[in-house]
Amino acid sequence: VQLVESGGGLVQAGGFLRPACAASGRTFNTYTMGWFRQAPGKERECVARITWNSGATYYTDSVKGRFTISRDIATNTVYLQMDSLKPEDTAVYYCAASRLFTSVQGNFPYWGQGTQVTVSS
């Protein structure tokens, strides 16, 4: 399984970004795909997840109403639309895949390399 993130960057507060995660090496229709983030000095947290087959989603409270996770079945790509960005959203964002319906970091065996998102005030 290979997960490759892209689309991070530097943006001002209130702006938007749309990181993408290109997945390959497996049939993902039974997988859960997650976006995690890790800020300096903080633990990695799951910000959103989506089940590949049903499209059911989960968001952590701090991003509800601002972030939207989606997947493109035709291209095996998962997106994280991030709107109304805040400085506290600054972190390295990682894409991950699991065969379990979970948001627990330890249950995700497959990870991308991460993409930096920096939100300036």
Side-chain angles (χ1 to χ4, degrees):
V1 174
Q2 186 174 18
L3 305 174
V4 180
E5 300 102 333
S6 61
L10 173 64
V11 65
Q12 289 188 331
F16 66 92
L17 286 171
R18 192 189 188 212
C21 172
S24 62
R26 192 69 57 92
T27 301
F28 291 96
N29 60 348
T30 60
Y31 277 66
T32 295
M33 305 299 293
W35 279 100
F36 290 74
R37 67 184 179 187
Q38 187 165 22
K42 294 188 177 181
E43 293 187 355
R44 192 175 297 187
E45 65 169 341
C46 180
V47 296
R49 69 153 193 255
I50 187 167
T51 54
W52 199 269
N53 52 3
S54 71
T57 58
Y58 155 88
Y59 300 93
T60 194
D61 286 346
S62 62
V63 308
K64 283 181 181 177
R66 301 188 298 121
F67 289 12
T68 304
I69 189 171
S70 63
R71 85 273 193 245
D72 185 329
I73 295 174
T75 62
N76 269 5
T77 304
V78 180
Y79 298 96
L80 185 67
Q81 178 70 41
M82 305 191 296
D83 298 319
S84 302
L85 282 163
K86 305 175 181 180
E88 51 263 44
D89 294 317
T90 296
V92 178
Y93 283 72
Y94 298 90
C95 176
S98 173
R99 296 186 70 176
L100 302 177
F101 184 66
T102 181
S103 300
V104 177
Q105 180 184 178
N107 290 333
F108 284 81
Y110 307 109
W111 292 82
Q113 81 286 355
T115 185
Q116 177 70 46
V117 170
T118 303
V119 184
S120 63
S121 57

